[in-house]
Amino acid sequence: MSGSSTNGPTAGGSVTGSGASERLGRLLGGDETAWLIDRARRRLEQGRPLTGTVTLTTATPAQRRAAEALLGRRAGAGSSLSVSLDEVDRILRVGGIAADGLREAVIRLRGPIRDLTGEKATRAADWKRAFAKLDALISERPELSGWRSWLESTGLVRRLATTAGEARTLLDRLSTVLERLPSPGTRLGRLAAETCADAHALDEGRPLATLALSAARALSGLPYASEGGADARRSAWAAVGVHLDDLSSFVLCLGLPGDDRSPTGRVLSAAGAAGEPCVLTLRQLLRHDTPLRANLVRICENPIVVAAAADELGASCPPLVCGGGRPSAAVWRLLDLLAAGGATFAYHGDFDWGGIAIAAAVHERAGFLPWRFDAASYRAVPSSAPLSGQVRPTPWDPELSVAMERRGVRVEEELVLPELVADLKLRTSS
């Protein structure tokens, strides 16, 4: 740069404080050099050195003139403008404008430099602490490891909690809820009150409820993302034993013996005498505190079996319970009451991986003999419907899962409806 100034270097090579500030403002404080200061500041915030060249691809004439005034020479030609940060740093130091060079100039013009790398590391540490309790729980619950990865990949927690501190509170509560799951026969409000000191913490739409419901689905082998709708929500909670209320959870049955000693017993007696299916709510079953007496109780997955049995057999139908897909809290309660009364169970369901998962849950809790629900029965039914989903074990007949994986078709319960009804009729006549 040429020309003299009363604010230029003194004979000793330094500039007065006010003169240095004025000159710094003229050289780098205007709009035309803002891009250069912005680039330098960004590098400092990222922990990178102020070396090398920065380029402005579409420079205006005013920006080029400002760069030339700073460098004291022409700054090239064309539309782009390149400036050496090393050269700017040297000019500021030698000219006595900023003793510590470009770094000092950036701070004087724009304020303190943020440590973005350090801030990022701090945020990462904060978020890791937010997940600490949940991760400790998952280390002991490997069935939730896939769900934990899904949480990370979808960013669901970060959408529900704006800060790591909020997330830590949310996830700590979630961990407390998960420690209680599965929780057979528990009302949702009670679970929320006992784990979160807030009976509404798991109400639909609350952040904790969103996370807890996805975890419940994971524990039940369902897709982590909610399908939406009250029925899907009710089913997901029911799969881990939790019911939304005593009346929305129910079980369909036919031919269960009743008695005249209790309200539930009288309901069963009346339905049995009429040969009609009976719907029992969880409320009724929770208030029935004595075992229900029966010998062999057959369990089906779909209501159509109960309807067909009622049409064909009416009042002569032997004990039959419908799981209705994933068993509700009412289903579990009824099976528990029957088991306490000495009943044994025989089970049939859909030959698909969802049906196998349902059957496995029933087998684990109540035990059963397969009712046309083994490998030989599966192979005997014609079907061309493709089988999809995750392969699952069949502990009541290990060969069944092997046969299903090899054959690769699904067989819905409706396809063997005549055989199932025939079995019930044979049981009646025997």
Side-chain angles (χ1 to χ4, degrees), residues 254-257 292-299 317-321 338 341-347 367-371 423-424 426-428 430:
L254 176 65
L256 289 185
L292 291 173
R293 304 293 176 182
N295 293 319
L296 177 66
V297 178
R298 295 185 184 268
I299 305 171
C317 183
L320 177 63
V321 173
L338 289 166
T344 57
F345 303 103
Y347 186 91
F368 63 71
L369 296 173
W371 174 25
D423 289 344
L424 294 168
L426 179 63
R427 180 73 180 174
T428 300
S430 61

Side-chain angles (χ1 to χ4, degrees), residues 84-295:
S84 167
L85 296 179
D86 300 275
E87 185 176 0
V88 174
D89 184 78
R90 181 187 62 79
I91 290 171
L92 295 174
R93 291 175 186 272
V94 172
I97 300 170
D100 290 330
L102 183 54
R103 178 185 179 86
E104 178 188 332
V106 171
I107 294 172
R108 284 165 55 184
L109 290 169
R110 297 292 177 83
I113 300 298
R114 293 174 58 191
D115 180 7
L116 295 184
T117 301
E119 290 176 12
K120 182 178 179 180
T122 298
R123 285 195 301 272
D126 289 344
W127 278 98
K128 185 176 181 179
R129 282 192 293 270
F131 278 90
K133 184 175 180 179
L134 180 63
D135 286 339
L137 173 68
I138 292 174
S139 68
E140 300 176 358
R141 305 278 298 271
E143 65 272 26
L144 287 171
S145 59
W147 168 76
R148 172 66 176 87
S149 299
W150 175 80
L151 283 184
E152 195 71 33
S153 64
T154 59
L156 178 58
V157 175
R158 294 174 187 260
R159 295 200 304 272
L160 295 173
T162 57
T163 68
E166 290 180 9
R168 183 172 183 176
T169 300
L170 179 62
L171 295 175
D172 283 355
R173 285 188 172 188
L174 176 63
S175 300
T176 304
V177 172
L178 294 185
E179 288 171 354
R180 290 278 301 274
L181 298 181
S183 186
T186 302
R187 294 182 182 89
L188 185 65
R190 178 181 175 184
L191 177 65
E194 292 179 352
T195 56
C196 307
D198 177 1
H200 298 286
L202 295 173
D203 285 358
E204 185 177 10
R206 300 281 288 269
L208 179 60
T210 299
L211 294 173
L213 184 61
S214 68
R217 296 176 67 82
L219 288 171
S220 308
L222 296 169
Y224 308 141
S226 175
E227 297 173 358
D231 288 342
R233 178 170 174 262
R234 184 179 296 111
S235 297
W237 278 119
V240 291
V242 179
H243 55 276
L244 275 60
D245 58 75
D246 293 348
L247 297 178
S248 63
S249 180
F250 55 85
V251 56
L252 176 66
C253 57
L254 176 65
L256 289 185
D259 57 56
D260 59 1
R261 299 182 304 275
S262 68
T264 300
R266 289 191 288 272
V267 168
L268 287 172
S269 291
E276 290 296 332
C278 179
V279 175
L280 297 174
T281 67
L282 179 60
R283 179 184 175 86
Q284 290 172 290
L285 293 167
L286 289 174
R287 290 174 176 238
H288 187 89
D289 55 5
T290 58
L292 291 173
R293 304 293 176 182
N295 293 319

Side-chain angles (χ1 to χ4, degrees), residues 41-48 113-117:
R41 183 180 181 83
R42 192 174 305 124
R43 289 196 178 199
L44 290 171
E45 289 177 337
Q46 294 172 348
R48 299 165 56 197
I113 300 298
R114 293 174 58 191
D115 180 7
L116 295 184
T117 301

Side-chain angles (χ1 to χ4, degrees), residues 28-102:
L28 290 171
D31 293 340
E32 294 77 13
T33 53
W35 70 274
L36 178 58
I37 296 300
D38 288 342
R39 302 281 183 91
R41 183 180 181 83
R42 192 174 305 124
R43 289 196 178 199
L44 290 171
E45 289 177 337
Q46 294 172 348
R48 299 165 56 197
L50 294 179
T51 57
T53 299
V54 292
T55 300
L56 185 63
T57 55
T58 54
T60 66
Q63 288 171 325
R64 185 174 300 281
R65 288 194 298 270
E68 292 174 348
L70 170 65
L71 301 173
R73 59 173 175 78
R74 290 197 62 188
S79 61
S80 67
L81 172 61
S82 296
V83 175
S84 167
L85 296 179
D86 300 275
E87 185 176 0
V88 174
D89 184 78
R90 181 187 62 79
I91 290 171
L92 295 174
R93 291 175 186 272
V94 172
I97 300 170
D100 290 330
L102 183 54

Side-chain angles (χ1 to χ4, degrees), residues 369-403:
L369 296 173
W371 174 25
R372 295 184 182 271
F373 204 55
D374 52 20
S377 300
Y378 168 71
R379 296 189 187 100
V381 185
S383 176
S384 59
L387 178 66
S388 61
Q390 179 181 352
V391 177
R392 297 182 181 277
T394 51
W396 59 92
D397 179 16
E399 178 62 24
L400 174 57
S401 63
V402 176

